[in-house]
Amino acid sequence: METMTANHADTDARGDLISFLDFHVAAGVDAALDEQPHDRFAEAESVRADAASQAEPATRREPLEPRREPLPPRSEPPRRDAPSAEEPPLAFRRELPSRDAPTREPPRTYGNAAGAKPGEAADDARARAAQMKTLDELEELLRGFEGCGLRFTAKNLVFADGNPQARVMFVGEAPGADEDRIGKPFMGRSGQLLDRMMAAIGLDRTSAYISNVVPWRPPGNRNPTPQEISICRPFVERQIELANPDILVCLGAPATQTLTGTKDGILKARGRFYPYRLGDGREIRALATLHPAYLLRQPVQKRLAWRDFRMLKSALDGSAAGK
């Protein structure tokens, strides 16, 4: 009986020891350094005390006084006569230009994106665009124009596509990645949708002329800034004058607001004809409608765009009958 009790006690002690070890392993202990615990903080204090007692007292040194040497005798500078009233002091004479030097005018910054102000670049764009007599001349001008910074980030100039002799001209906002790569407007998914929308009323790229307000792609497909639009606006206005369409179709809010002057959003402005005056004084009609890219994001709004294109079809048929 006593033997069984002893064995039972040994089993309990062994189980307690295993539980104790499991607890320490779970707590992160992975090595046993000694059989007895040690107070490491007390040992460290003892070691520091022994080191301090065995160290020799440091010899105190007196601070050294700075060595002072006699200064050399001060020499008086040669005395100059006071400058006359007509001769400026030396410090000013170094900064003054020579009277014989020609006056230099500030460099002209027009057409240079690095130095031109937005207002100067827009004025220069308007003056240059007005001198172009054909669409080819206008396109060539844009290829060398440096007044808009987008020219330096885009791959290609996206001028136009379609038939410039067509009776209807579509104007969007700015090129996208596909348009920038190919060099023609509306070449991506939105362009494919525009082709289908035109085909629904009997149009294609041989019977329509297509362009954008801004002919260069903004980085990352961001919206063009108001300054970039103001610089590029004279070119698209001259492009419309040279193409001379009967009806202008503004695709999206930026094109509508830029060309018609309205401040309304596109959902309020769409489905309406606005007067658009050409440079020669002739007035044509501009129809506002939704941009194909917006319709790809909001397919439910295609019903509104279909109404607008039916209006466009009726207007083209009516103008054709009037002729």
Side-chain angles (χ1 to χ4, degrees):
M1 184 68 180
E2 292 179 358
T3 303
M4 294 178 60
T5 303
N7 292 336
H8 189 270
D10 292 342
T11 302
D12 293 342
R14 187 179 300 107
D16 293 341
L17 179 60
I18 292 174
S19 299
F20 180 76
L21 293 175
D22 290 341
F23 168 78
H24 283 80
V25 171
V29 177
D30 57 358
L33 300 181
D34 204 342
E35 296 181 357
Q36 300 295 330
H38 296 271
D39 188 352
R40 303 297 181 185
F41 294 101
E43 292 178 358
E45 292 294 338
S46 176
V47 170
R48 283 197 294 268
D50 294 342
S53 62
Q54 295 177 4
E56 295 181 0
T59 304
R60 184 176 180 181
R61 297 181 179 180
E62 296 294 335
L64 297 177
E65 294 184 0
R67 183 178 180 181
R68 298 183 178 180
E69 297 180 356
L71 297 176
R74 182 176 179 181
S75 59
E76 294 293 338
R79 185 175 181 179
R80 290 187 56 189
D81 296 334
S84 63
E86 297 180 356
E87 181 184 4
L90 180 61
F92 290 92
R93 292 206 304 271
R94 291 177 179 174
E95 299 296 333
L96 293 177
S98 173
R99 295 180 180 179
D100 298 333
T103 304
R104 297 182 59 186
E105 297 181 357
R108 178 184 175 92
T109 58
Y110 296 169
N112 188 336
K117 297 180 180 179
E120 294 178 347
D123 293 340
D124 183 52
R126 188 170 302 279
R128 294 190 184 192
Q131 298 174 2
M132 301 299 103
K133 303 302 181 182
T134 64
L135 291 171
D136 292 337
E137 291 180 0
L138 183 63
E139 182 178 4
E140 189 64 24
L141 170 64
L142 279 170
R143 293 191 184 279
F145 184 72
E146 299 182 353
C148 181
L150 296 178
R151 176 186 183 274
F152 302 97
T153 58
K155 293 181 180 179
N156 288 301
L157 170 71
V158 182
F159 183 69
D161 191 27
N163 183 6
Q165 305 299 325
R167 296 171 52 219
V168 59
M169 178 175 178
F170 294 85
V171 180
E173 178 184 8
D178 294 319
E179 292 78 8
D180 184 38
R181 176 174 52 84
I182 299 173
K184 293 183 178 181
F186 288 91
M187 289 285 110
R189 292 181 59 210
S190 62
Q192 297 172 7
L193 178 56
L194 178 61
D195 289 340
R196 295 195 297 268
M197 294 166 64
M198 291 192 300
I201 60 173
L203 296 175
D204 57 21
R205 300 207 177 207
T206 63
S207 56
Y209 189 53
I210 306 173
S211 184
N212 283 303
V213 173
V214 176
W216 295 285
R217 179 200 179 197
N221 284 355
R222 63 166 174 79
N223 295 329
T225 64
Q227 291 79 11
E228 292 165 348
I229 292 178
S230 66
I231 293 173
C232 298
R233 179 176 177 177
F235 296 117
V236 70
E237 290 178 343
R238 184 57 178 164
Q239 188 177 9
I240 296 171
E241 293 176 4
L242 294 174
N244 195 22
D246 294 333
I247 298 178
L248 184 66
V249 180
C250 303
L251 300 172
T256 300
Q257 294 173 355
T258 300
L259 298 178
T260 67
T262 182
K263 301 299 181 182
D264 296 334
I266 190 59
L267 291 178
K268 184 177 180 181
R270 55 142 297 274
R272 297 164 55 187
F273 281 102
Y274 294 84
Y276 183 84
R277 188 172 298 277
L278 300 175
D280 57 1
R282 190 170 69 93
E283 186 175 279
I284 63 175
R285 290 185 293 174
L287 174 64
T289 188
L290 304 174
H291 196 285
Y294 172 78
L295 297 177
L296 291 175
R297 300 189 300 267
Q298 301 289 338
V300 70
Q301 304 292 11
K302 288 183 179 181
R303 55 187 178 85
L304 300 179
W306 172 237
R307 296 176 188 174
D308 301 340
F309 270 64
R310 290 174 61 186
M311 292 178 58
L312 174 61
K313 175 65 173 175
S314 299
L316 288 173
D317 293 342
S319 60
K323 293 181 179 179

